[in-house]
Amino acid sequence: MDPEFKPHQLQSRNVEIFDYEGVVIAGFWQYGTLQWHEFYRYLSTLVVATTTTWSIFEFDPANQQRGAPCPPGAQIVQPGYYILASSTGESVRVGLVPRLPRPRNPMHSDALAEPPYRNRALSRDGRCLFTGLQTETYSRLKVAHIFSRAHDAEWIRKGYPSKITDTAGEALMGGQTKIDSVQNVITMRRDLGNAWDNYEFGVDPRNNYRVTAFTNGNADINGLHLQLDHIEIQRFALSIELLIDHFIAGLLTHMKGAGQHRRPYEDYEDTFGEGSFNPSDF
């Protein structure tokens, strides 16, 4: 890197949660939209506490002082520091769940000659499902997988082929795995592709398909709702379970602990084994 230039990097977090040992157990960049009841739900997928009735309190890390409680509710989480404790404010032992996100290893499908899933997704959507952007030639649009096709072995192990209801021929869906079904692809603005692959934002189907950005610099899409009104036939609809899978990977990558948890894919299976990444826990 040229020493003459200093790269400008945005602050990664403005909310952090500590345990009583001073360890950061979670955090994120708050855009002013995430509510406490949502954050509690997200935290429940990331932490394991010695008591089932834990709560979040305001916290002053410099003086190690616990402040007012922050109960789950519709209030917006304010930027700052917090601590996880028992419901009465006492110290509890807290651990992070052992799950790690699945590396995306994005596939550069643009090098392929019009893969069938791209044509089918563009015909179904015709625009960015996040922002509504339309272009005459689709030049500013990208079709991305929700569950990366690079991990077809895990896709099969999780039983996703049997959950695809798309009735197109196997040649149009990537063979027997059906990983290229339109239920596993989403049309977006081209510049959003890398952020999607890095789990920097996700879609929560249980919150009216709202977009939640986990990293700073995505204010233009945070809080939007996925535009799905044009999809009237269920077998062409995006899979709710796959969107949840992708969303949880975002929590594990950017919200859990200090953030940006990564591990080579070959270690992932050995560490957690079959069924370790279960969207039904969300």
Side-chain angles (χ1 to χ4, degrees):
M1 181 179 296
D2 193 327
E4 184 179 354
F5 300 100
K6 294 183 179 180
H8 175 70
Q9 189 169 6
L10 294 176
Q11 179 183 347
S12 61
R13 288 175 165 180
N14 58 6
V15 173
E16 284 193 316
I17 311 292
F18 293 82
D19 65 10
Y20 262 89
E21 296 180 356
V23 176
V24 176
I25 60 174
F28 64 98
W29 182 262
Q30 170 64 293
Y31 289 91
T33 56
L34 191 65
Q35 300 174 333
W36 274 112
H37 70 89
E38 297 170 322
F39 191 36
Y40 269 77
R41 178 160 61 94
Y42 300 161
L43 278 177
S44 67
T45 71
L46 303 177
V47 302
V48 178
T50 54
T51 175
T52 57
T53 56
W54 53 266
S55 296
I56 302 296
F57 295 79
E58 295 178 355
F59 183 57
D60 178 0
N63 297 307
Q64 293 294 297
Q65 291 183 345
R66 172 177 57 80
C70 304
Q75 298 81 6
I76 298 296
V77 180
Q78 296 301 312
Y81 299 108
Y82 300 89
I83 191 168
L84 189 148
S86 72
S87 58
T88 57
E90 303 299 321
S91 172
V92 294
R93 293 190 61 186
V94 181
L96 296 176
V97 296
R99 303 174 190 158
L100 291 179
R102 177 181 54 257
R104 284 285 293 190
N105 296 343
M107 304 290 288
H108 299 287
S109 59
D110 289 346
L112 303 177
E114 295 296 329
Y117 67 81
R118 181 177 187 274
N119 293 330
R120 296 188 71 211
L122 290 174
S123 296
R124 178 192 64 187
D125 304 327
R127 63 181 183 271
C128 170
L129 296 189
F130 298 105
T131 67
L133 173 71
Q134 293 179 292
T135 60
E136 179 183 352
T137 62
Y138 299 142
S139 59
R140 295 183 60 196
L141 298 178
K142 175 184 177 65
V143 175
H145 282 74
I146 302 172
F147 188 106
S148 175
R149 69 199 311 259
H151 302 313
D152 54 349
E154 185 177 355
W155 166 275
I156 294 172
R157 187 176 67 248
K158 288 189 171 186
Y160 285 147
S162 65
K163 299 177 182 180
I164 295 297
T165 57
D166 186 355
T167 56
E170 290 184 359
L172 297 177
M173 295 193 293
Q176 293 182 348
T177 66
K178 303 180 183 180
I179 201 167
D180 287 344
S181 164
V182 288
Q183 294 183 290
N184 185 39
V185 294
I186 182 171
T187 306
M188 64 184 64
R189 209 172 61 199
R190 183 170 292 275
D191 65 295
L192 298 176
N194 287 340
W196 177 260
D197 285 339
N198 193 36
Y199 306 115
E200 294 179 25
F201 68 97
V203 176
D204 185 355
R206 300 184 182 179
N207 190 10
N208 196 25
Y209 292 90
R210 195 185 73 182
V211 177
T212 295
F214 304 112
T215 61
N216 195 358
N218 292 305
D220 60 324
I221 56 173
N222 181 75
L224 298 179
H225 293 267
L226 209 58
Q227 301 179 18
L228 302 173
D229 290 345
H230 64 289
I231 305 177
E232 298 179 350
I233 302 177
Q234 188 62 34
R235 66 177 182 272
F236 298 146
L238 277 64
S239 165
I240 291 176
E241 187 166 356
L242 295 177
L243 287 172
I244 292 176
D245 182 299
H246 182 276
F247 193 92
I248 293 178
L251 297 177
L252 295 173
T253 303
H254 300 289
M255 189 175 285
K256 174 185 172 184
Q260 285 294 344
H261 293 270
R262 300 183 181 277
R263 171 174 297 209
Y265 181 69
E266 58 269 23
D267 293 338
Y268 179 86
E269 293 185 6
D270 294 339
T271 303
F272 304 115
E274 183 175 356
S276 61
F277 194 78
N278 186 1
S280 65
D281 293 339
F282 179 56

